Amino acid sequence: MTLWVFGYGSLLWNPGFEVIEQVPARLSGYRRSFCMRSIHHRGTPEEPGLVLALDASDEAHCDGLALAAAPDQSEAVLAYLRERELVSAAYLERLLPLALEDGRDVTALVYVIDPDHVQYCALELEEQAQIIAQAVGGRGPNSEYLYNTSTHLETLGLPDAELQWLDKRVRELTA
């Protein structure tokens, strides 16, 4: 059986596993948001950065990519993703329905934010920009994460208005 994974942030540009098929997809009931404080990859415990997460919202949807792993690699991909995404237990692993752009419906592995976790936050866009412009973690500058994600979404024809605004504002702040 094919393991489908929903990419909405860094999985778009750095899945970390061999993708045998990728299809634009929509996840209903969640919105993409910089609502997770990053204390490992894009910040530190002393100076947290922000990373994207899927925040539950009844009226929302998130456009991204459905990424298919080779069936014989499913267990290895799952182990890899758990090590990568569940490093601080702020994400919850879910199997959720995705509507693929080509008309198919699949069930995909999705990482959503735990709103009760200490790393969860709900910040205004300007505050997000201020944090992203300064934070640096084990995987590099927080701004790099924003720029890569925003650029890939635009290239895929899936622009995100909030990320576009943040991209522009963070570039202003770091100029």
Side-chain angles (χ1 to χ4, degrees), residues 96-162:
L96 297 172
L98 288 184
L100 304 190
E101 184 181 72
D102 63 15
R104 289 180 287 167
D105 292 316
V106 299
T107 299
L109 182 67
V110 181
Y111 291 96
V112 304
I113 190 71
D114 177 353
D116 295 323
H117 196 278
V118 67
Q119 287 175 253
Y120 176 76
C121 60
L123 307 173
E124 296 296 324
L125 286 176
E126 179 61 30
E127 188 175 356
Q128 292 175 35
Q130 295 289 333
I131 292 168
I132 292 168
Q134 297 177 35
V136 178
R139 291 203 176 157
N142 205 165
S143 56
E144 176 186 83
Y145 173 90
L146 165 65
Y147 301 154
N148 281 338
T149 305
S150 181
T151 299
H152 275 78
L153 286 167
E154 286 187 48
T155 300
L156 292 166
L158 305 170
D160 181 300
E162 283 190 5

Side-chain angles (χ1 to χ4, degrees), residues 1-156:
M1 187 161 112
T2 301
L3 173 65
W4 288 94
V5 179
F6 184 57
Y8 60 89
S10 62
L11 287 171
L12 295 170
W13 44 272
N14 182 24
F17 62 92
E18 181 184 356
V19 176
I20 62 168
E21 183 180 5
Q22 68 177 32
V23 184
R26 175 167 286 179
L27 175 67
S28 295
Y30 292 87
R31 62 184 286 273
R32 177 184 7 250
S33 173
F34 275 100
C35 63
M36 182 176 151
R37 294 190 188 279
S38 177
I39 58 173
H40 299 288
H41 301 312
R42 298 298 173 166
T44 64
E46 300 77 29
E47 303 236 5
L50 295 172
V51 290
L52 292 165
L54 292 169
D55 202 3
S57 177
D58 290 339
E59 302 301 316
H61 66 267
C62 179
D63 292 323
L65 286 179
L67 307 168
D72 65 339
Q73 293 296 307
S74 293
E75 286 184 35
V77 169
L78 184 58
Y80 163 76
L81 289 172
R82 285 178 172 161
E83 182 178 327
R84 170 181 166 165
E85 302 296 332
L86 302 178
V87 66
S88 67
Y91 285 128
L92 302 172
E93 186 177 273
R94 297 287 184 256
L95 290 173
L96 297 172
L98 288 184
L100 304 190
E101 184 181 72
D102 63 15
R104 289 180 287 167
D105 292 316
V106 299
T107 299
L109 182 67
V110 181
Y111 291 96
V112 304
I113 190 71
D114 177 353
D116 295 323
H117 196 278
V118 67
Q119 287 175 253
Y120 176 76
C121 60
L123 307 173
E124 296 296 324
L125 286 176
E126 179 61 30
E127 188 175 356
Q128 292 175 35
Q130 295 289 333
I131 292 168
I132 292 168
Q134 297 177 35
V136 178
R139 291 203 176 157
N142 205 165
S143 56
E144 176 186 83
Y145 173 90
L146 165 65
Y147 301 154
N148 281 338
T149 305
S150 181
T151 299
H152 275 78
L153 286 167
E154 286 187 48
T155 300
L156 292 166

